[in-house]
Amino acid sequence: MIRTDDLWKTYVMGDEEIHALRGVSFEIARGEYVAIIGPSGSGKSTLMNMIGCLDTPSKGEYWLNGKLVSQMDDDELAWIRNKEIGFVFQTFNLLPRASALHNVELPLIYNGTPANKRIEMAKKALESVELGHRMSHKPNELSGGQRQRVAIARALVNNPSIILADEPTGNLDSKTSVEIMNLLEKLHERGNTIILVTHEPDIAAHAHRVLTILDGQISKDERIR
Amino acid sequence: MIRTDDLWKTYVMGDEEIHALRGVSFEIARGEYVAIIGPSGSGKSTLMNMIGCLDTPSKGEYWLNGKLVSQMDDDELAWIRNKEIGFVFQTFNLLPRASALHNVELPLIYNGTPANKRIEMAKKALESVELGHRMSHKPNELSGGQRQRVAIARALVNNPSIILADEPTGNLDSKTSVEIMNLLEKLHERGNTIILVTHEPDIAAHAHRVLTILDGQISKDERIR
Ligand SMILES: Nc1ncnc2c1ncn2[C@@H]1O[C@H](COP(=O)(O)OP(=O)(O)OP(=O)(O)O)[C@@H](O)[C@H]1O
Ligand SMILES: Nc1ncnc2c1ncn2[C@@H]1O[C@H](COP(=O)(O)OP(=O)(O)OP(=O)(O)O)[C@@H](O)[C@H]1O
Ligand SMILES: [Mg+2]
Ligand SMILES: [Mg+2]
């Protein structure tokens, strides 16, 4: 379902070139649960942005569900991003002036879900991350971990088939981390494809397969369950 | 050096009152190394903002170096915040349009350090967090862990006597986390007072004393070394 072939991403800074990805090739089948680990600056978030169709490679190809992403038209890309992929960003990317509820509603607004259904689904998603009591708070009225949970709720509200989570538990205490990992576990059992970036080996251990990235390249690809 | 007496912080949301801190009292002596742990939403960042003179309590008192903070004039507060306290925020709070170098220079600009000295000190601080090769990058041209390290470098550049760090290793891989904790260890040995908020017990274990916060109150205060 996800296949990359020799992906490169190069950032040009003045007269310096930074190769954030240097020829990344792998396949992830429908329903897999993959963790990506690697040092700070190794290219994880860059790779996630490629997979999530949020950024394009400098070189190489990316097939999603058998179609070459670089040749998809805007409507198709938008549809995939909205309907198929739920993204938890490393930096949350919440609308600062909107409530938690409204932030979680956003993907449903984009795909035209009627208002009453939207609000009900958004409330449910917030309850699943234990934020039913903080729905009207704006991001700056929430703790770090609460903001992260709003981002997780937003990623899940559309029941996407592919969940991309970049450091979903980075700001969470151990109890909440366990709850989020259990939530991802349930979603995986239901058939979702899960790709998660983490620095923490205990979090990576929940996945079934671990890709290790080092200086923009996959250095290891290991089945752990 | 730091003494709080019955600190309360209440946020009013419409007709709801949220008591983020509910009577927090403790003393931290000069040169101590304290970790604050507690669940998401328990009040850690709120408490750090009080200690760092960035926010005022709704009730209760805070003495810093024997002076009642609520009765300090603006100049004195600004001096303390600039010269005495280095703050690593949970959300980094970097200037988005300025380079890493410029971000780290900021505290030195505020206290009138001459340009050549500033640049030299800022470079040194960035090298101490292994970002000598990313100095001209802006925050959105840096990885999550790199941004966190810029925030750490900025907090340390002025050699403050008190270091307040809210989740300093949240976005860092294990190797970089170890490096940052070693850096904090060195600073502690040199006589600095360190107060760090963390969710991770292994990080808290580096401290000499652990305060546990639960629902806005200190539930435990334990010397561990
Ligand atoms: N500006 C605000 N307005 C309203 N409520 C707030 C505001 N800031 C924080 N809160 C609430 O106060 C409580 C404590 O927040 P705080 O940020 O101190 O928690 P924390 O312990 O740092 O959590 P985390 O581990 O998730 O970072 C939370 O329930 C939060 O929703
Ligand atoms: N927009 C950009 N312009 C220039 N360089 C960039 C840009 N974005 C990322 N980089 C660089 O590319 C490299 C990879 O960044 P990336 O964010 O993918 O790392 P990461 O593995 O997610 O790191 P972390 O674990 O710290 O989040 C880093 O060295 C970073 O400095
Ligand atoms: Mg990243
Ligand atoms: Mg916090």
Side-chain angles (χ1 to χ4, degrees), chain B residues 192-204:
Chain B
N192 290 299
T193 307
I194 305 194
I195 305 173
L196 85 93
V197 164
T198 180
H199 290 125
E200 296 177 51
D202 327 358
I203 298 290

Side-chain angles (χ1 to χ4, degrees), chain A residues 136-138 141, chain B residues 10-18:
Chain A
S136 53
H137 286 230
K138 300 193 181 64
E141 295 163 339
Chain B
T10 302
Y11 296 110
V12 179
M13 307 284 296
D15 55 1
E16 196 195 351
E17 274 189 338
I18 292 167

Side-chain angles (χ1 to χ4, degrees), chain A residues 51-53 64 80-87 155 160-162 164:
Chain A
I51 297 173
C53 305
L64 179 55
I80 286 216
R81 251 183 269 137
N82 180 274
K83 207 103 191 25
E84 290 285 323
I85 301 177
F87 209 132
S161 55
I162 304 170
L164 301 183

Side-chain angles (χ1 to χ4, degrees), chain A residues 40 90 149 171 173 199, chain B residues 40 90 137 149 171 173 199:
Chain A
S40 178
Q90 184 171 16
R149 283 182 272 158
N171 269 289
D173 57 81
H199 290 126
Chain B
S40 178
Q90 184 171 15
H137 286 230
R149 282 182 272 157
N171 268 290
D173 56 81
H199 290 125

Side-chain angles (χ1 to χ4, degrees), chain A residues 19-30:
Chain A
H19 303 294
L21 295 177
R22 302 161 184 257
V24 170
S25 309
F26 59 80
E27 287 187 43
I28 294 176
R30 188 176 287 281

Side-chain angles (χ1 to χ4, degrees), chain A residues 86-130:
Chain A
F87 209 132
V88 184
F89 295 90
Q90 184 171 16
T91 49
F92 316 158
N93 297 357
L94 301 175
L95 295 188
R97 301 206 192 138
S99 66
L101 186 73
H102 191 69
N103 267 285
V104 174
E105 272 190 278
L106 281 181
L108 304 172
I109 290 172
Y110 289 147
N111 69 16
T113 306
N116 54 346
K117 182 102 190 86
R118 246 174 23 216
I119 290 175
E120 176 197 340
M121 289 170 78
K123 280 189 177 175
K124 239 170 151 238
L126 280 165
E127 280 155 2
S128 74
V129 298
E130 312 257 311

